[in-house]
Each structure stands twice: as structure tokens, then as C-alpha cells.
mmCIF file of all heavy atoms in Angstrom:
data_model
loop_
_atom_site.group_PDB
_atom_site.id
_atom_site.type_symbol
_atom_site.label_atom_id
_atom_site.label_comp_id
_atom_site.label_asym_id
_atom_site.label_seq_id
_atom_site.Cartn_x
_atom_site.Cartn_y
_atom_site.Cartn_z
ATOM 1 N N ASP A 478 -6.210 8.061 18.219
ATOM 2 C CA ASP A 478 -6.256 9.125 17.220
ATOM 3 C C ASP A 478 -6.271 8.551 15.804
ATOM 4 O O ASP A 478 -6.131 7.337 15.599
ATOM 5 C CB ASP A 478 -5.051 10.052 17.375
ATOM 6 C CG ASP A 478 -5.182 10.982 18.567
ATOM 7 O OD1 ASP A 478 -6.278 11.027 19.180
ATOM 8 O OD2 ASP A 478 -4.184 11.653 18.909
ATOM 9 N N SER A 479 -6.392 9.457 14.846
ATOM 10 C CA SER A 479 -6.400 9.091 13.431
ATOM 11 C C SER A 479 -5.297 9.833 12.693
ATOM 12 O O SER A 479 -4.873 10.926 13.104
ATOM 13 C CB SER A 479 -7.744 9.432 12.787
ATOM 14 O OG SER A 479 -8.799 8.705 13.380
ATOM 15 N N LEU A 480 -4.832 9.238 11.607
ATOM 16 C CA LEU A 480 -3.887 9.860 10.694
ATOM 17 C C LEU A 480 -4.244 9.423 9.287
ATOM 18 O O LEU A 480 -4.758 8.309 9.092
ATOM 19 C CB LEU A 480 -2.451 9.419 10.979
ATOM 20 C CG LEU A 480 -1.584 10.163 11.988
ATOM 21 C CD1 LEU A 480 -0.230 9.483 12.106
ATOM 22 C CD2 LEU A 480 -1.426 11.625 11.613
ATOM 23 N N ARG A 481 -3.917 10.286 8.318
ATOM 24 C CA ARG A 481 -4.053 9.876 6.934
ATOM 25 C C ARG A 481 -2.708 10.041 6.242
ATOM 26 O O ARG A 481 -2.172 11.154 6.188
ATOM 27 C CB ARG A 481 -5.116 10.685 6.191
ATOM 28 C CG ARG A 481 -5.380 10.114 4.783
ATOM 29 C CD ARG A 481 -6.496 10.817 4.041
ATOM 30 N NE ARG A 481 -6.056 12.054 3.430
ATOM 31 C CZ ARG A 481 -6.649 12.609 2.358
ATOM 32 N NH1 ARG A 481 -7.699 12.029 1.817
ATOM 33 N NH2 ARG A 481 -6.206 13.756 1.879
ATOM 34 N N LEU A 482 -2.207 8.949 5.726
ATOM 35 C CA LEU A 482 -0.970 8.975 4.958
ATOM 36 C C LEU A 482 -1.311 9.151 3.488
ATOM 37 O O LEU A 482 -2.328 8.639 3.004
ATOM 38 C CB LEU A 482 -0.183 7.683 5.154
ATOM 39 C CG LEU A 482 0.165 7.299 6.588
ATOM 40 C CD1 LEU A 482 1.001 6.014 6.591
ATOM 41 C CD2 LEU A 482 0.873 8.406 7.309
ATOM 42 N N SER A 483 -0.439 9.858 2.790
ATOM 43 C CA SER A 483 -0.567 10.029 1.348
ATOM 44 C C SER A 483 0.709 9.566 0.675
ATOM 45 O O SER A 483 1.801 9.653 1.252
ATOM 46 C CB SER A 483 -0.817 11.500 0.997
ATOM 47 O OG SER A 483 -2.006 11.979 1.585
ATOM 48 N N CYS A 484 0.566 9.096 -0.535
ATOM 49 C CA CYS A 484 1.724 8.694 -1.338
ATOM 50 C C CYS A 484 1.497 9.208 -2.745
ATOM 51 O O CYS A 484 0.583 8.761 -3.438
ATOM 52 C CB CYS A 484 1.882 7.183 -1.330
ATOM 53 S SG CYS A 484 3.162 6.562 -2.435
ATOM 54 N N ALA A 485 2.320 10.177 -3.141
ATOM 55 C CA ALA A 485 2.223 10.762 -4.460
ATOM 56 C C ALA A 485 3.181 10.059 -5.415
ATOM 57 O O ALA A 485 4.361 9.886 -5.104
ATOM 58 C CB ALA A 485 2.538 12.254 -4.389
ATOM 59 N N ALA A 486 2.662 9.687 -6.563
ATOM 60 C CA ALA A 486 3.465 8.970 -7.556
ATOM 61 C C ALA A 486 3.749 9.846 -8.754
ATOM 62 O O ALA A 486 2.933 10.697 -9.131
ATOM 63 C CB ALA A 486 2.728 7.702 -7.999
ATOM 64 N N SER A 487 4.909 9.615 -9.362
ATOM 65 C CA SER A 487 5.261 10.322 -10.587
ATOM 66 C C SER A 487 6.143 9.415 -11.425
ATOM 67 O O SER A 487 6.724 8.442 -10.919
ATOM 68 C CB SER A 487 5.990 11.631 -10.282
ATOM 69 O OG SER A 487 7.187 11.388 -9.568
ATOM 70 N N GLY A 488 6.214 9.729 -12.707
ATOM 71 C CA GLY A 488 7.125 9.018 -13.589
ATOM 72 C C GLY A 488 6.555 7.782 -14.235
ATOM 73 O O GLY A 488 7.288 7.056 -14.893
ATOM 74 N N GLY A 489 5.290 7.524 -14.045
ATOM 75 C CA GLY A 489 4.696 6.357 -14.674
ATOM 76 C C GLY A 489 3.211 6.574 -14.856
ATOM 77 O O GLY A 489 2.672 7.629 -14.489
ATOM 78 N N THR A 490 2.544 5.597 -15.423
ATOM 79 C CA THR A 490 1.095 5.667 -15.582
ATOM 80 C C THR A 490 0.475 5.086 -14.325
ATOM 81 O O THR A 490 0.371 3.866 -14.168
ATOM 82 C CB THR A 490 0.645 4.894 -16.827
ATOM 83 O OG1 THR A 490 1.319 5.423 -17.973
ATOM 84 C CG2 THR A 490 -0.864 5.028 -17.014
ATOM 85 N N PHE A 491 0.071 5.973 -13.429
ATOM 86 C CA PHE A 491 -0.340 5.558 -12.087
ATOM 87 C C PHE A 491 -1.449 4.520 -12.133
ATOM 88 O O PHE A 491 -1.436 3.551 -11.364
ATOM 89 C CB PHE A 491 -0.794 6.788 -11.307
ATOM 90 C CG PHE A 491 -1.175 6.511 -9.883
ATOM 91 C CD1 PHE A 491 -0.217 6.165 -8.947
ATOM 92 C CD2 PHE A 491 -2.506 6.607 -9.471
ATOM 93 C CE1 PHE A 491 -0.557 5.916 -7.629
ATOM 94 C CE2 PHE A 491 -2.869 6.363 -8.153
ATOM 95 C CZ PHE A 491 -1.885 6.009 -7.231
ATOM 96 N N SER A 492 -2.388 4.702 -13.029
ATOM 97 C CA SER A 492 -3.536 3.804 -13.081
ATOM 98 C C SER A 492 -3.177 2.400 -13.553
ATOM 99 O O SER A 492 -4.019 1.499 -13.531
ATOM 100 C CB SER A 492 -4.629 4.393 -13.969
ATOM 101 O OG SER A 492 -4.139 4.596 -15.278
ATOM 102 N N SER A 493 -1.937 2.208 -13.970
ATOM 103 C CA SER A 493 -1.475 0.884 -14.387
ATOM 104 C C SER A 493 -0.857 0.087 -13.246
ATOM 105 O O SER A 493 -0.483 -1.074 -13.438
ATOM 106 C CB SER A 493 -0.431 1.013 -15.500
ATOM 107 O OG SER A 493 -0.980 1.626 -16.641
ATOM 108 N N TYR A 494 -0.730 0.722 -12.090
ATOM 109 C CA TYR A 494 -0.035 0.097 -10.976
ATOM 110 C C TYR A 494 -0.975 -0.239 -9.836
ATOM 111 O O TYR A 494 -1.783 0.592 -9.407
ATOM 112 C CB TYR A 494 1.062 1.022 -10.441
ATOM 113 C CG TYR A 494 2.206 1.208 -11.406
ATOM 114 C CD1 TYR A 494 2.175 2.197 -12.381
ATOM 115 C CD2 TYR A 494 3.318 0.378 -11.345
ATOM 116 C CE1 TYR A 494 3.222 2.343 -13.270
ATOM 117 C CE2 TYR A 494 4.372 0.519 -12.227
ATOM 118 C CZ TYR A 494 4.314 1.508 -13.197
ATOM 119 O OH TYR A 494 5.357 1.653 -14.074
ATOM 120 N N ALA A 495 -0.838 -1.465 -9.342
ATOM 121 C CA ALA A 495 -1.404 -1.777 -8.040
ATOM 122 C C ALA A 495 -0.538 -1.097 -6.984
ATOM 123 O O ALA A 495 0.661 -0.891 -7.190
ATOM 124 C CB ALA A 495 -1.429 -3.286 -7.811
ATOM 125 N N MET A 496 -1.153 -0.730 -5.881
ATOM 126 C CA MET A 496 -0.445 0.014 -4.845
ATOM 127 C C MET A 496 -0.611 -0.671 -3.492
ATOM 128 O O MET A 496 -1.615 -1.345 -3.233
ATOM 129 C CB MET A 496 -0.977 1.440 -4.745
ATOM 130 C CG MET A 496 -0.870 2.253 -6.017
ATOM 131 S SD MET A 496 0.832 2.583 -6.499
ATOM 132 C CE MET A 496 1.409 3.589 -5.128
ATOM 133 N N GLY A 497 0.358 -0.474 -2.644
ATOM 134 C CA GLY A 497 0.269 -1.067 -1.321
ATOM 135 C C GLY A 497 0.944 -0.205 -0.275
ATOM 136 O O GLY A 497 1.790 0.634 -0.591
ATOM 137 N N TRP A 498 0.539 -0.401 0.955
ATOM 138 C CA TRP A 498 1.194 0.193 2.105
ATOM 139 C C TRP A 498 1.815 -0.936 2.934
ATOM 140 O O TRP A 498 1.169 -1.975 3.175
ATOM 141 C CB TRP A 498 0.200 0.972 2.966
ATOM 142 C CG TRP A 498 -0.214 2.276 2.362
ATOM 143 C CD1 TRP A 498 -1.331 2.533 1.622
ATOM 144 C CD2 TRP A 498 0.502 3.512 2.453
ATOM 145 N NE1 TRP A 498 -1.367 3.848 1.252
ATOM 146 C CE2 TRP A 498 -0.250 4.475 1.748
ATOM 147 C CE3 TRP A 498 1.697 3.921 3.069
ATOM 148 C CZ2 TRP A 498 0.160 5.812 1.632
ATOM 149 C CZ3 TRP A 498 2.093 5.235 2.957
ATOM 150 C CH2 TRP A 498 1.328 6.156 2.246
ATOM 151 N N PHE A 499 3.024 -0.703 3.356
ATOM 152 C CA PHE A 499 3.770 -1.640 4.183
ATOM 153 C C PHE A 499 4.282 -0.873 5.404
ATOM 154 O O PHE A 499 4.326 0.352 5.398
ATOM 155 C CB PHE A 499 4.955 -2.216 3.408
ATOM 156 C CG PHE A 499 4.558 -3.055 2.217
ATOM 157 C CD1 PHE A 499 4.067 -2.466 1.062
ATOM 158 C CD2 PHE A 499 4.662 -4.433 2.254
ATOM 159 C CE1 PHE A 499 3.694 -3.232 -0.033
ATOM 160 C CE2 PHE A 499 4.297 -5.211 1.169
ATOM 161 C CZ PHE A 499 3.817 -4.606 0.025
ATOM 162 N N ARG A 500 4.688 -1.611 6.421
ATOM 163 C CA ARG A 500 5.287 -0.952 7.573
ATOM 164 C C ARG A 500 6.380 -1.822 8.173
ATOM 165 O O ARG A 500 6.373 -3.041 8.023
ATOM 166 C CB ARG A 500 4.232 -0.627 8.638
ATOM 167 C CG ARG A 500 3.596 -1.838 9.314
ATOM 168 C CD ARG A 500 2.455 -1.393 10.226
ATOM 169 N NE ARG A 500 1.838 -2.525 10.908
ATOM 170 C CZ ARG A 500 0.741 -2.415 11.661
ATOM 171 N NH1 ARG A 500 0.133 -1.236 11.816
ATOM 172 N NH2 ARG A 500 0.259 -3.490 12.256
ATOM 173 N N GLN A 501 7.299 -1.160 8.838
ATOM 174 C CA GLN A 501 8.378 -1.870 9.508
ATOM 175 C C GLN A 501 8.629 -1.214 10.856
ATOM 176 O O GLN A 501 8.991 -0.029 10.925
ATOM 177 C CB GLN A 501 9.650 -1.870 8.676
ATOM 178 C CG GLN A 501 10.747 -2.741 9.274
ATOM 179 C CD GLN A 501 11.882 -2.996 8.300
ATOM 180 O OE1 GLN A 501 12.077 -2.257 7.335
ATOM 181 N NE2 GLN A 501 12.639 -4.047 8.549
ATOM 182 N N ALA A 502 8.427 -1.985 11.898
ATOM 183 C CA ALA A 502 8.687 -1.533 13.253
ATOM 184 C C ALA A 502 10.124 -1.896 13.632
ATOM 185 O O ALA A 502 10.700 -2.825 13.052
ATOM 186 C CB ALA A 502 7.708 -2.174 14.220
ATOM 187 N N PRO A 503 10.704 -1.196 14.585
ATOM 188 C CA PRO A 503 12.079 -1.496 15.002
ATOM 189 C C PRO A 503 12.251 -2.958 15.412
ATOM 190 O O PRO A 503 11.454 -3.488 16.182
ATOM 191 C CB PRO A 503 12.293 -0.560 16.194
ATOM 192 C CG PRO A 503 11.357 0.564 15.965
ATOM 193 C CD PRO A 503 10.155 -0.040 15.310
ATOM 194 N N GLY A 504 13.253 -3.604 14.844
ATOM 195 C CA GLY A 504 13.540 -4.987 15.186
ATOM 196 C C GLY A 504 12.623 -6.015 14.553
ATOM 197 O O GLY A 504 12.729 -7.208 14.858
ATOM 198 N N LYS A 505 11.734 -5.549 13.696
ATOM 199 C CA LYS A 505 10.790 -6.476 13.054
ATOM 200 C C LYS A 505 10.932 -6.425 11.541
ATOM 201 O O LYS A 505 11.459 -5.460 10.994
ATOM 202 C CB LYS A 505 9.352 -6.124 13.455
ATOM 203 C CG LYS A 505 9.053 -6.325 14.936
ATOM 204 C CD LYS A 505 7.580 -6.146 15.226
ATOM 205 C CE LYS A 505 7.268 -6.415 16.683
ATOM 206 N NZ LYS A 505 5.813 -6.265 16.968
ATOM 207 N N GLU A 506 10.422 -7.448 10.888
ATOM 208 C CA GLU A 506 10.447 -7.481 9.438
ATOM 209 C C GLU A 506 9.354 -6.573 8.880
ATOM 210 O O GLU A 506 8.344 -6.308 9.529
ATOM 211 C CB GLU A 506 10.232 -8.916 8.941
ATOM 212 C CG GLU A 506 11.379 -9.856 9.257
ATOM 213 C CD GLU A 506 11.221 -11.194 8.569
ATOM 214 O OE1 GLU A 506 10.191 -11.425 7.924
ATOM 215 O OE2 GLU A 506 12.144 -12.019 8.686
ATOM 216 N N ARG A 507 9.584 -6.121 7.669
ATOM 217 C CA ARG A 507 8.556 -5.318 7.003
ATOM 218 C C ARG A 507 7.342 -6.190 6.717
ATOM 219 O O ARG A 507 7.479 -7.349 6.310
ATOM 220 C CB ARG A 507 9.115 -4.744 5.703
ATOM 221 C CG ARG A 507 8.188 -3.774 5.001
ATOM 222 C CD ARG A 507 8.946 -2.996 3.946
ATOM 223 N NE ARG A 507 9.599 -3.857 2.988
ATOM 224 C CZ ARG A 507 10.522 -3.449 2.128
ATOM 225 N NH1 ARG A 507 10.886 -2.172 2.132
ATOM 226 N NH2 ARG A 507 11.070 -4.290 1.286
ATOM 227 N N GLU A 508 6.161 -5.626 6.927
ATOM 228 C CA GLU A 508 4.930 -6.375 6.710
ATOM 229 C C GLU A 508 3.963 -5.576 5.854
ATOM 230 O O GLU A 508 3.956 -4.355 5.861
ATOM 231 C CB GLU A 508 4.261 -6.718 8.051
ATOM 232 C CG GLU A 508 3.824 -5.524 8.852
ATOM 233 C CD GLU A 508 3.043 -5.897 10.112
ATOM 234 O OE1 GLU A 508 2.687 -7.081 10.281
ATOM 235 O OE2 GLU A 508 2.776 -4.988 10.924
ATOM 236 N N SER A 509 3.132 -6.317 5.138
ATOM 237 C CA SER A 509 2.098 -5.682 4.326
ATOM 238 C C SER A 509 0.964 -5.217 5.225
ATOM 239 O O SER A 509 0.551 -5.915 6.137
ATOM 240 C CB SER A 509 1.574 -6.679 3.296
ATOM 241 O OG SER A 509 0.475 -6.142 2.602
ATOM 242 N N VAL A 510 0.476 -4.026 4.949
ATOM 243 C CA VAL A 510 -0.642 -3.461 5.704
ATOM 244 C C VAL A 510 -1.916 -3.476 4.869
ATOM 245 O O VAL A 510 -2.963 -3.907 5.331
ATOM 246 C CB VAL A 510 -0.315 -2.025 6.150
ATOM 247 C CG1 VAL A 510 -1.520 -1.369 6.812
ATOM 248 C CG2 VAL A 510 0.890 -2.011 7.077
ATOM 249 N N ALA A 511 -1.815 -2.989 3.635
ATOM 250 C CA ALA A 511 -2.988 -2.886 2.783
ATOM 251 C C ALA A 511 -2.548 -2.833 1.327
ATOM 252 O O ALA A 511 -1.438 -2.401 1.021
ATOM 253 C CB ALA A 511 -3.817 -1.650 3.124
ATOM 254 N N ALA A 512 -3.451 -3.269 0.455
ATOM 255 C CA ALA A 512 -3.178 -3.255 -0.978
ATOM 256 C C ALA A 512 -4.444 -2.855 -1.710
ATOM 257 O O ALA A 512 -5.562 -3.096 -1.229
ATOM 258 C CB ALA A 512 -2.695 -4.623 -1.447
ATOM 259 N N ILE A 513 -4.254 -2.266 -2.895
ATOM 260 C CA ILE A 513 -5.398 -1.858 -3.686
ATOM 261 C C ILE A 513 -5.082 -2.094 -5.149
ATOM 262 O O ILE A 513 -3.949 -1.895 -5.598
ATOM 263 C CB ILE A 513 -5.766 -0.381 -3.407
ATOM 264 C CG1 ILE A 513 -7.096 -0.010 -4.045
ATOM 265 C CG2 ILE A 513 -4.650 0.563 -3.849
ATOM 266 C CD1 ILE A 513 -7.667 1.313 -3.524
ATOM 267 N N SER A 514 -6.084 -2.534 -5.892
ATOM 268 C CA SER A 514 -5.897 -2.831 -7.302
ATOM 269 C C SER A 514 -5.749 -1.556 -8.126
ATOM 270 O O SER A 514 -5.988 -0.452 -7.629
ATOM 271 C CB SER A 514 -7.080 -3.659 -7.813
ATOM 272 O OG SER A 514 -8.292 -2.943 -7.627
ATOM 273 N N GLU A 515 -5.386 -1.726 -9.389
ATOM 274 C CA GLU A 515 -5.101 -0.587 -10.247
ATOM 275 C C GLU A 515 -6.268 0.393 -10.333
ATOM 276 O O GLU A 515 -6.074 1.613 -10.279
ATOM 277 C CB GLU A 515 -4.742 -1.050 -11.655
ATOM 278 C CG GLU A 515 -3.486 -1.902 -11.766
ATOM 279 C CD GLU A 515 -3.762 -3.380 -11.595
ATOM 280 O OE1 GLU A 515 -4.564 -3.763 -10.725
ATOM 281 O OE2 GLU A 515 -3.142 -4.169 -12.341
ATOM 282 N N GLY A 516 -7.455 -0.122 -10.477
ATOM 283 C CA GLY A 516 -8.621 0.736 -10.606
ATOM 284 C C GLY A 516 -9.271 1.097 -9.288
ATOM 285 O O GLY A 516 -10.212 1.901 -9.241
#
């Protein structure tokens, strides 16, 4: 199946921030999934 996650930001200038998605499975360390530049 497919899913789409969303992350809404507030309190800053969003376009000034690089963004990333991370995940942590039970018993495992948090890992990077994806990253995107400011623009």
C-alpha cells in the first residue's frame, strides 16, 4: 500500500529550513529516511 505523511511547520521562515524525515523502529536507532533542501 501507499501512505503520504505531512509535516506542517510554524513559528519560523519555512523556506529557510532544510527538512528531513527520520524513522525509529522498536529496538532500533533513529535513522534518516529522506532530506530536502530549502528550495
